[in-house]
Amino acid sequence: MRLLTHNMLQCHVKSCNDPALNFPLQFQEVELEQIEAEENEALLLNLVGKIDWPALVQTTSELGITGLPPTKPDVVKNDPALMKRLHEILLETNVAQGKMVCRGCGHSYPIKDGIPNMLLAEHEI
Amino acid sequence: MSRPEHIAPPELFYNETEAQKYTSNSRIASVQAEMAFRAIELLCLPEDKSCLLLDIGCGSGLSGEVLEEEGHTWVGLDISPSMLEIARDREVEGDLMLQDVGQGLGFRPGTFEGAISISVLQWLCNADSKTNIPKARLMRFFTTLYSCLVNGSRAVFQFYPENDDQLDLIMGCATRCGFTGGLVIDYPNSKKAKKFYLCLFAGQGQGAKPQLPQGLGTDETADPQGAQFSQTRNRTRGPKGGPRVSVKDKHWIMRKKDAARTRGETVANDSKYTGRKRRVKF
Ligand SMILES: C[S@@+](CC[C@H](N)C(=O)[O-])C[C@H]1O[C@@H](n2cnc3c(N)ncnc32)[C@H](O)[C@@H]1O
Ligand SMILES: [Zn+2]
């Protein structure tokens, strides 16, 4: 799973709906993998528009990934170095193993061989 | 004809053997790709835009690959671990998640510019355990789907409705969750080519009120909407007004699939990223 997708994910346990807590899910014990992806400026700009910047900054700093300004620049397009870094972070950085833990309800979503397990228990639906 | 969803729950039906059989069957691959093309067409995405799309019940990636070829990026959800493992081994570009969509989706509001779902929805109507109430599952699914779609975008479901009651149940739930839209039927008079596409609109967005596209193989001259619709897309008519075929991309994919198959039964690694560099970071 790419970091892009993590930025779109919130906890979906039915009773867990405090937006201050159910997003972003916190990575634990993760193993990252860089997988090359084709560059596509238009796509990247579209995706950057959807990104929750504070959550991305928080997550990358927890993972020890650097190179992002603390606040989202007004125009990303005119900054080739930042575009490149965003491409690497959002579309090429994959989580191969680990888990994502909800800061609200504590549910832990395991990630195995790149695939997060989002299944819930009966009492969480 | 027996319906697979009556045999076993999806995560058991699509076990390792069945998932392998499904993915390496060239007829299935071409039918799924063709339906995925049609679903993208029905999404009516902004011309030339690269979008973030959702593939609901993505299986081994036969449908998602079509999204890639069209220049989009995607996230795929499926309940069958075996199907997802094959998708991963085939190095599809989309992100994969093990998920029962009847439990609801966990994406932030306004994430996706569209969703497709190929041959999945009939599975959601099954009551395969005591706690599994189709109506409640459909409601949770459609509510959470609606919220993660960009306002004004669409979700298109190709599926095999079992009967009118099932259709009513699905349409009723979707409507109660805020969707508008309806059913598009391609080739309604052909026993073999007839296909059902549920086209749902998540709000109206900025534009005009969305119109339900015309089905293929119906009398298009009777409906200006149909003519207008087919003009905007890259399709040509097959011989003698038969099923339409997509111009370039389908053949491209088929060639790709064939090449993969001749290499052996593990249909794998034929994407444009085959052989791309991977390095473990930590
Ligand atoms: C016929 S396959 C289609 C796969 C893929 N869309 C394609 O076109 O090849 C149906 C898929 O739906 C999945 N499915 C069934 N019920 C599901 C559910 N509740 N949640 C997620 N996926 C489900 C199955 O695991 C299976 O992979
Ligand atoms: Zn939670």
Side-chain angles (χ1 to χ4, degrees), chain B residues 28-280:
Chain B
I28 292 181
S30 91
V31 172
Q32 299 307 113
E34 178 66 17
M35 295 188 300
F37 269 116
R38 176 66 172 141
I40 299 174
E41 181 176 66
L42 292 169
L43 282 180
C44 295
L45 296 169
E47 206 72 32
D48 297 327
K49 189 172 177 196
S50 289
C51 298
L52 178 60
L53 303 176
L54 183 64
D55 186 357
I56 299 158
C58 62
S60 50
L62 298 177
S63 44
E65 273 174 330
V66 178
L67 302 175
E68 288 166 31
E69 300 314 331
E70 296 284 297
H72 307 297
T73 192
W74 55 283
V75 176
L77 313 174
D78 204 282
I79 199 174
S80 156
S82 304
M83 286 292 242
L84 291 172
E85 272 161 38
I86 295 181
R88 190 199 50 225
D89 293 346
R90 297 170 74 233
E91 295 198 349
V92 296
E93 199 198 320
D95 283 328
L96 308 166
M97 291 188 196
L98 180 63
Q99 190 149 2
D100 173 2
V101 299
Q103 296 184 334
L105 314 181
F107 296 99
R108 286 198 285 117
T111 294
F112 299 103
E113 281 127 330
I116 68 161
S117 176
I118 310 297
S119 316
V120 179
L121 202 47
Q122 69 277 358
W123 283 98
L124 260 190
C125 300
N126 253 28
D128 33 39
S129 81
K130 231 191 280 153
T131 52
N132 187 335
I133 305 154
K135 190 171 174 187
R137 286 167 54 77
L138 284 167
M139 287 300 288
R140 179 86 183 134
F141 167 61
F142 282 126
T143 315
T144 51
L145 173 63
Y146 189 99
S147 91
C148 75
L149 289 169
V150 170
N151 182 20
S153 67
R154 303 180 179 205
V156 175
F157 300 80
Q158 179 279 327
F159 74 117
Y160 300 102
E162 187 175 343
N163 51 41
D164 286 350
D165 285 350
Q166 193 186 65
L167 264 178
D168 288 347
L169 173 69
I170 292 172
M171 305 273 258
C173 290
T175 309
R176 282 213 283 150
C177 296
F179 284 107
T180 56
L183 208 56
V184 171
I185 306 177
D186 281 357
Y187 311 109
N189 304 318
S190 155
K191 220 178 148 198
K192 259 179 75 185
K194 184 173 179 178
K195 289 282 168 340
F196 293 84
Y197 294 87
L198 177 64
C199 295
L200 298 178
F201 309 142
Q204 187 172 329
Q206 260 89 62
K209 196 162 171 279
Q211 296 288 318
L212 199 62
Q214 170 86 19
L216 301 176
T218 57
D219 185 9
E220 291 186 22
T221 48
D223 189 332
Q225 209 59 48
Q228 183 197 324
F229 177 74
S230 55
Q231 237 177 27
T232 61
R233 294 288 156 172
N234 209 9
R235 306 194 130 225
T236 73
R237 208 173 264 289
K240 295 214 183 89
R244 287 160 177 234
V245 282
S246 319
V247 180
K248 47 167 194 192
D249 315 81
K250 191 195 157 184
H251 295 278
W252 195 90
I253 275 215
M254 292 315 129
R255 270 208 316 275
K256 196 174 99 160
K257 297 261 155 64
D258 285 340
R261 267 189 304 280
T262 44
R263 282 203 305 271
E265 77 277 32
T266 334
V267 178
N269 281 5
D270 232 7
S271 86
K272 58 188 172 217
Y273 295 111
T274 300
R276 63 189 161 168
K277 276 185 271 162
R278 283 164 175 266
R279 64 194 148 88
V280 175

Side-chain angles (χ1 to χ4, degrees), chain A residues 11-13 15-17 21-22 25 102-107 109:
Chain A
C11 180
H12 70 125
V13 168
S15 58
C16 183
N17 36 34
L21 295 173
N22 70 5
L25 298 170
C102 173
R103 295 167 226 250
C105 69
H107 183 105
Y109 299 94

Side-chain angles (χ1 to χ4, degrees), chain A residues 1-2 4-5 7-14 23 30-40 42-43 46-47 50-52 63-65 85 91 93-94 112-122 125, chain B residues 48-52 71-75 79 81 84-85 88 93-100 102-113 129 131 140 147 150 272-273 275-282:
Chain A
M1 182 188 62
R2 297 166 290 189
L4 163 75
T5 303
N7 193 270
M8 306 294 156
L9 260 190
Q10 58 193 23
C11 180
H12 70 125
V13 168
K14 199 169 181 194
F23 172 82
V30 300
E31 192 181 295
L32 298 179
E33 184 184 27
Q34 294 295 120
I35 304 178
E36 225 179 326
E38 194 175 298
E39 284 181 32
N40 178 339
L43 176 65
N46 178 11
L47 298 174
K50 298 171 188 285
I51 287 295
D52 183 304
L63 293 175
I65 297 171
R85 194 68 191 120
L91 296 170
T93 307
N94 287 253
K112 221 184 124 236
D113 299 325
I115 303 176
N117 179 340
M118 305 304 289
L119 296 174
L120 300 177
E122 214 108 280
I125 310 169
Chain B
D48 297 327
K49 189 172 177 196
S50 289
C51 298
L52 178 60
H72 307 297
T73 192
W74 55 283
V75 176
I79 199 174
L84 291 172
E85 272 161 38
R88 190 199 50 225
E93 199 198 320
D95 283 328
L96 308 166
M97 291 188 196
L98 180 63
Q99 190 149 2
D100 173 2
Q103 296 184 334
L105 314 181
F107 296 99
R108 286 198 285 117
T111 294
F112 299 103
E113 281 127 330
S129 81
T131 52
R140 179 86 183 134
S147 91
V150 170
K272 58 188 172 217
Y273 295 111
R276 63 189 161 168
K277 276 185 271 162
R278 283 164 175 266
R279 64 194 148 88
V280 175
K281 217 174 171 184
F282 295 123

